[in-house]
Amino acid sequence: MIYMLDTTNIPEIERLFDLYPIDGVTTNPSIIAQEQKPLRRLLRDIRSVIGEEALLHVQPISTKAEDIVHEALEYRDLCRGNYYAKIPVTPQGIKAIQLLKQRGVKVTATAIFTQQQALIAAKAGADFVAPYVNRLDNISSDGIGVVADIMTFINAYDMRTQVLAASFKNVEQVHRVCLLGAHSVTIAPELFESLLYHPLTDRAVWDFYHDGVPYYDEPEIIEHNTEKTE
Ligand code: E4P
């Protein structure tokens, strides 16, 4: 399972990469806009926090295939390392995916709402296809069902494309795409931390600490644990 953060907030990326086994960062123009900073500066800052091996997904804003390719190549040079061009599955986007693959650029096909969009993107050579689970659920469609179907044909046709399930609003959605064997998920920071949280874990840790502390006689360890349990 590949976990990625769906954010461009540098302090959050820094904090969560320090704590958790996170593999990369995904961005899109709306997420970029939230930070109100120039794109190039933001991308450089993200790369310097996550390192060259982590996946960094960047979405061009152009709409014509040649312009998408041009923009994606610019971001590749800027981001270096493990870079993915994130391309929406419009007709021009599908053309751009094929052109980028010919140039050896890794691609994630994004803004996927149907099974056939994913299949065409996979056939065009996309390394990842990104179905939007919560946005489908929000229109009374079935986000998990769409991911399930995409997984079925990827396995049936033995395709090398992987599913990057995206657009989550709750832990249950993430859990259910994991049960389907989706290869990766991208999640906003707050929801990512909800995956780990349970009040009974906090209670157990609190009890362990207070039961044991009178008998643990190494002051530095106790001090360190106190910081953690507060
Ligand atoms: C994924 O690639 C998208 O950036 C993202 O997951 C969309 O999520 P949203 O529906 O919460 O905006």
Side-chain angles (χ1 to χ4, degrees):
M1 165 56 69
I2 297 171
Y3 280 123
M4 287 190 263
L5 291 180
D6 207 21
T7 183
T8 49
N9 185 279
I10 302 290
E12 280 297 78
I13 294 172
E14 206 158 18
R15 188 175 70 78
L16 297 186
F17 264 71
D18 180 51
L19 292 170
Y20 304 116
I22 294 169
D23 303 285
V25 168
T26 57
T27 73
N28 67 34
S30 307
I31 291 173
I32 299 280
Q34 284 167 18
E35 298 308 309
Q36 301 189 335
K37 287 182 193 156
L39 170 69
R40 285 172 178 73
R41 197 175 97 207
L42 215 42
L43 295 177
R44 272 194 214 102
D45 290 350
I46 294 172
R47 180 56 89 200
S48 74
V49 169
I50 68 178
E52 301 247 329
E53 279 181 26
L55 294 80
L56 177 52
H57 285 63
V58 185
Q59 184 172 326
I61 206 155
S62 303
T63 52
K64 290 213 173 104
E66 289 72 17
D67 300 337
I68 294 171
V69 170
H70 180 76
E71 217 187 314
L73 291 173
E74 247 188 68
Y75 302 145
R76 180 195 59 181
D77 296 343
L78 180 79
C79 295
R80 308 175 319 279
N82 202 355
Y83 162 82
Y84 283 77
K86 198 163 167 234
I87 312 292
V89 288
T90 60
Q92 291 291 317
I94 295 295
K95 179 176 175 183
I97 291 172
Q98 296 171 85
L99 294 172
L100 284 165
K101 291 310 297 176
Q102 283 163 19
R103 288 170 172 255
V105 178
K106 291 184 280 191
V107 174
T108 290
T110 193
I112 289 179
F113 291 87
T114 72
Q115 297 85 338
Q116 287 303 312
Q117 288 175 327
L119 184 53
I120 291 169
K123 189 161 166 54
D127 299 275
F128 286 103
V129 288
Y132 283 16
V133 175
N134 188 66
R135 291 195 197 192
L136 279 163
D137 289 351
N138 271 352
I139 55 163
S140 292
S141 187
D142 178 11
I144 306 297
V146 169
V147 174
D149 288 349
I150 296 171
M151 287 303 299
T152 299
F153 68 59
I154 282 180
N155 291 328
Y157 297 135
D158 201 18
M159 294 174 125
R160 46 168 284 286
T161 302
Q162 301 188 77
V163 170
L164 165 55
S167 178
F168 293 106
K169 285 295 168 284
N170 59 61
V171 171
E172 180 64 12
Q173 290 168 331
V174 177
H175 172 59
R176 292 189 60 196
V177 302
C178 291
L179 280 179
L180 295 170
H183 311 84
S184 59
V185 289
T186 185
I187 309 174
E190 195 187 336
L191 181 57
F192 185 88
E193 293 209 288
S194 302
L195 300 181
L196 190 65
Y197 174 73
H198 198 287
L200 288 179
T201 304
D202 287 355
R203 176 65 207 216
V205 171
W206 196 90
D207 286 345
F208 290 148
Y209 178 74
H210 289 276
D211 291 346
V213 76
Y215 308 101
Y216 281 59
D217 57 6
E218 291 169 52
E220 327 77 80
I221 294 176
I222 291 170
E223 213 169 282
H224 190 62
N225 282 345
T226 310
E227 279 169 23
K228 275 188 178 165
T229 50
E230 277 169 357

